[in-house]
Amino acid sequence: MCADETSSTPSNFIRHIIDDDIKANKNDGKVATRFPPEPNGYLHIGHAKSICLNFGIGKDYNGTCNLRFDDTNPHKENLEFVEAIKEDVRWLEYDWDDRLFYASDYFEALYQFAVQLVEKQLAYVCDLNAEQIRDYRGTLTEPGRDSPYRNRTVEENLDLFKRMRDGEFEDGSKVLRAKIDMASPNINLRDPTIYRIRHGVIHHQTGESWCIYPMYDFTHCLSDSIEGITHSLCTLEFEDHRPLYDWFLDSLDVDCHPQQIEFSRLNLEYTVTSKRKLTELVEQGHVEGWDDPRMPTIAGLRRRGFTSASIRDFCNRIGVTKADNLVEMGVLESCIREDLNDNAPRRMAVLHPLKVILSNYPEGKQEELQPANHPQHEAMGTRKVIMERELYIDRNDFAEIPPKKFKRLIPGGEVRLRNGYVIRCDEVIKDDKGEVIELHCSYDEATLGANPEGRKVKGVIHWLSANHSIKAEIRLYDRLFTHPLPDASKEGKDYSEYLNPESLLTLTQCYVEASLVDAQPGDTFQFEREGYFSLDKARSANDMPVFNRTVTLRDTWKK
Ligand code: ATP
Ligand code: MG
């Protein structure tokens, strides 16, 4: 069955290949993919593209998608990353059922495959050190030279390889190499290393059972084959490795030879998606951690208030091709904005409070207003908002000397309080330094929620009761980098030189509606006129709730 008949996922060149394979009854019409992260960091938005592609295909073609940890590099990997990756894939609402695998599950099988290569005279133990190997490898324009150890006998190789496994040799003193072609125009085929010695590392899955570890290229194709993967989807940097992928599988006795297909990586403006660089941002303290809401990690986006649906929508919109691409941040933001516009309950929050006294509102009086949670969705209900004599409005909604077209509050002018009354500013109270500290206003009782006939008030501002609101910390995020291509800017500077010093603005004097007392971490709201905000998992240093701005109401990237 063609996937497009059953899902809303747009088709792409990979799905076309699969459609053709199914028509030709290749792999008996089966489709099996995998997502193969290395547990050496948290997943980022680029991985989301790969997850949606692989798991999406598994699902839409009634096939399977495995989660497989590519864990051949134990000194950089750990269990924290394993757990975080599982959580993120689950959060994106993809399911590997009982198909959670580790490349390390196959270490014994891989060892036996390596022995098979040696027996076929297609691998040898080499005593050159790393520098010599590099030296012998040649360049793009010059062929490499054969290692002096290339012609060891099968017996000698089998003996040495076994002794490598048994721990007789030091790190770096020997490697096992595939015997392919030192003159190949493709450098990946110039006798690549397939096993190296690593003593003293404790692998998060296999502990200290092994002191030799297989290399990625050798491990990956065989893990795919062992799992019966039909389509092995990876990013374009592996295109030059495909001949090696195929060489291993053609050289060994295997039942399954998956087809490797490459697609282009996701690059997102104003951020980086290299795990090495993200690790540096965390380790050097440029951000709070892997889930800092400025990070392009799934955990960071989640903490920022992104929904998994918005990220899947984003992956659908950007599509899958072979062309290099740089996606505008505005595309990601419009996905979450559309989602939250439809689904986030409305609330009021005052970010820069200015006290307002309604002089003609009786002292001690309180009114309970019931504004709707969503202007279009009645089913989302209402919540209580208290109106009283003392209120807060936002400092930016008042101007003593208004700029042109200013529709909000000015001395002697009128404005509507959202869901409430029309008020007029009668008196401006200032401190010794001349700063406005309070407004004395009067309210018009006849205007609650609606304008009486013939009455025109242009501005509507948000507000809160001064005594029935919650103090909160609000964090406003901006792009993490000042350059759209921090990774590869034309100025040739290091990406860290483009870190935006203003990527986080913390406001500690804010107020939010009392109804937010019940909000749970991760709940996201539209603070009217201010944007979308999500309750953070942690409270502030002085024990206030913290709201992270997920996204502004409008696209502020396009200037
Ligand atoms: P790094 O680039 O930092 O070395 P990686 O991309 O190799 O990390 P892996 O954990 O190996 O990280 O990635 C798992 C899978 O996700 C791979 O199949 C990889 O091709 C894919 N992937 C990684 N980054 C992106 C990206 N930016 N866009 C699309 N797919 C990606
Ligand atoms: Mg990788």
Side-chain angles (χ1 to χ4, degrees):
M1 181 190 0
C2 168
D4 303 329
E5 290 165 17
T6 58
S7 83
S8 57
T9 313
S11 198
N12 55 50
F13 79 98
I14 295 179
R15 285 173 179 250
H16 292 152
I17 293 174
I18 296 178
D19 290 337
D20 290 343
D21 288 347
I22 290 174
K23 267 187 221 133
N25 204 33
K26 195 173 161 187
N27 311 304
D28 297 326
K30 280 203 205 89
V31 177
T33 57
R34 84 288 170 267
F35 172 63
E38 181 177 358
N40 61 350
Y42 278 55
L43 297 180
H44 54 63
I45 185 73
H47 292 117
K49 172 175 178 174
S50 178
I51 292 169
C52 291
L53 176 66
N54 280 294
F55 279 96
I57 285 175
K59 201 162 163 179
D60 292 345
Y61 285 89
N62 230 341
T64 51
C65 179
N66 299 353
L67 175 60
R68 182 203 314 141
F69 287 101
D70 158 31
D71 56 349
T72 54
N73 224 344
H75 66 288
K76 285 194 185 164
E77 299 161 4
N78 67 46
L79 275 184
E80 177 197 345
F81 296 141
V82 168
E83 290 308 320
I85 290 170
K86 287 201 259 180
E87 182 184 352
D88 288 348
V89 176
R90 256 190 235 115
W91 181 74
L92 284 170
E93 292 174 46
Y94 291 111
D95 193 356
W96 55 86
D97 295 319
D98 56 352
R99 294 179 314 278
L100 171 64
F101 302 112
Y102 296 84
S104 56
D105 295 342
Y106 313 130
F107 279 176
E108 184 60 41
L110 293 170
Y111 179 83
Q112 296 305 335
F113 278 123
V115 167
Q116 207 187 105
L117 278 183
V118 170
E119 286 167 350
K120 294 183 178 208
Q121 300 197 41
L122 293 174
Y124 60 97
V125 173
C126 181
D127 296 4
L128 296 180
N129 62 34
E131 200 182 318
Q132 291 166 321
I133 289 183
R134 219 173 299 125
D135 198 40
Y136 273 74
R137 191 180 293 134
T139 63
L140 285 174
T141 48
E142 278 170 47
R145 282 171 293 136
D146 284 0
S147 159
Y149 304 98
R150 200 171 197 262
N151 292 318
R152 277 177 163 155
T153 61
V154 169
E155 289 68 33
E156 193 182 358
N157 282 318
L158 284 176
D159 174 59
L160 288 171
F161 187 44
K162 166 120 195 344
R163 287 162 60 195
M164 277 171 67
R165 174 182 182 160
D166 291 344
E168 267 189 47
F169 308 116
E170 279 173 30
D171 284 17
S173 62
K174 287 188 173 24
V175 291
L176 184 74
R177 298 176 69 178
K179 193 171 179 177
I180 309 179
D181 178 6
M182 288 306 292
S184 170
N186 183 339
I187 290 186
N188 295 304
L189 296 179
R190 294 185 189 169
D191 291 11
T193 296
I194 55 181
Y195 266 91
R196 63 221 191 286
I197 303 172
R198 284 268 185 286
H199 285 286
V201 281
I202 300 177
H203 189 286
H204 51 97
Q205 301 300 319
T206 59
E208 290 175 291
S209 323
W210 292 87
C211 65
I212 56 171
Y213 288 95
M215 300 296 285
Y216 175 84
D217 282 322
F218 179 69
T219 308
H220 195 74
C221 56
L222 287 164
S223 304
D224 280 348
S225 173
I226 291 169
E227 290 176 17
I229 300 301
T230 55
H231 299 84
S232 176
L233 314 179
C234 62
T235 34
L236 274 175
E237 69 270 23
F238 292 104
E239 198 165 25
D240 291 344
H241 296 237
R242 184 171 2 113
L244 184 55
Y245 185 103
D246 290 331
W247 185 88
F248 283 126
L249 296 180
D250 289 338
S251 306
L252 288 159
D253 304 328
V254 294
D255 299 330
C256 163
H257 187 143
Q259 178 182 3
Q260 175 177 310
I261 307 171
E262 309 86 14
F263 62 95
S264 58
R265 298 175 78 85
L266 163 66
N267 300 301
L268 193 59
E269 275 187 353
Y270 295 102
T271 192
V272 293
T273 48
S274 138
K275 268 196 278 188
R276 181 178 65 77
K277 289 172 189 157
L278 295 174
T279 306
E280 284 172 6
L281 290 175
V282 173
E283 285 180 353
Q284 296 170 9
H286 296 299
V287 293
E288 251 184 54
W290 284 97
D291 69 347
D292 186 301
R294 290 166 291 181
M295 289 281 272
T297 51
I298 310 285
L301 291 165
R302 176 166 62 233
R303 189 164 162 207
R304 174 97 169 235
F306 278 71
T307 59
S308 61
S310 70
I311 292 178
R312 292 193 305 271
D313 180 27
F314 171 72
C315 293
N316 275 341
R317 285 196 208 181
I318 58 172
V320 178
T321 68
K322 271 189 179 287
D324 248 351
N325 59 74
L326 179 63
V327 176
E328 287 174 21
M329 194 57 108
V331 179
L332 179 60
E333 289 194 348
S334 73
C335 293
I336 184 63
R337 201 176 279 122
E338 276 179 30
D339 181 342
L340 296 179
N341 181 41
D342 208 28
N343 297 311
R346 274 42 174 178
R347 293 290 182 268
M348 292 193 283
V350 175
L351 275 54
H352 315 92
L354 173 62
K355 179 77 81 59
V356 166
I357 311 280
L358 300 182
S359 343
N360 60 340
Y361 198 96
E363 276 191 55
K365 180 177 171 182
Q366 271 179 23
E367 283 169 281
E368 217 176 82
L369 310 180
Q370 292 273 347
N373 282 331
H374 195 287
Q376 277 93 45
H377 304 318
E378 218 176 297
M380 284 174 74
T382 62
R383 83 279 186 186
K384 280 185 209 158
V385 170
I386 300 288
M387 169 63 74
E388 61 171 353
R389 183 181 159 90
E390 284 186 28
L391 311 174
Y392 289 118
I393 65 166
D394 197 286
R395 199 160 271 283
N396 297 326
D397 285 334
F398 171 76
E400 217 177 355
I401 304 161
K404 265 191 195 152
K405 294 190 181 163
F406 190 79
K407 294 203 186 93
R408 293 159 281 164
L409 199 56
I410 58 171
E414 284 189 330
V415 80
R416 168 171 292 286
L417 298 178
R418 173 96 176 125
N419 303 308
Y421 296 106
V422 171
I423 61 169
R424 190 184 61 233
C425 176
D426 304 320
E427 199 182 341
V428 180
I429 314 291
K430 297 182 181 174
D431 64 8
D432 305 346
K433 295 181 204 117
E435 200 178 327
V436 178
I437 49 166
E438 205 170 277
L439 302 177
H440 289 184
C441 300
S442 44
Y443 84 110
D444 180 343
E445 208 179 345
T447 56
L448 184 62
N451 282 339
E453 194 98 14
R455 172 134 190 178
K456 279 199 180 138
V457 179
K458 284 192 193 131
V460 182
I461 64 173
H462 59 281
W463 57 280
L464 285 173
S465 111
N467 301 302
H468 296 85
S469 303
I470 306 171
K471 274 198 139 182
E473 177 170 312
I474 290 186
R475 298 183 187 157
L476 305 179
Y477 299 100
D478 198 350
R479 54 191 85 173
L480 187 51
F481 292 95
T482 54
H483 197 288
L485 269 171
D487 251 348
S489 74
K490 292 224 169 64
E491 296 84 8
K493 291 193 204 165
D494 186 67
Y495 76 99
S496 61
E497 294 178 61
Y498 295 108
L499 276 162
N500 177 6
E502 283 155 23
S503 60
L504 168 61
L505 177 63
T506 304
L507 305 175
T508 56
Q509 309 286 327
C510 312
Y511 288 91
V512 299
E513 274 184 32
S515 64
L516 287 165
V517 70
D518 296 328
Q520 298 299 310
D523 286 354
T524 303
F525 303 90
Q526 185 191 97
F527 289 167
E528 294 193 61
R529 303 180 59 234
E530 294 290 2
Y532 296 96
F533 293 80
S534 182
L535 182 60
D536 197 62
K537 61 179 184 182
R539 291 176 72 88
S540 70
N542 53 353
D543 199 30
M544 296 189 295
V546 173
F547 286 91
N548 297 312
R549 183 169 70 193
T550 311
V551 68
T552 51
L553 288 176
R554 271 167 289 281
D555 191 352
T556 50
W557 294 79
K558 280 194 191 130
K559 289 268 157 66

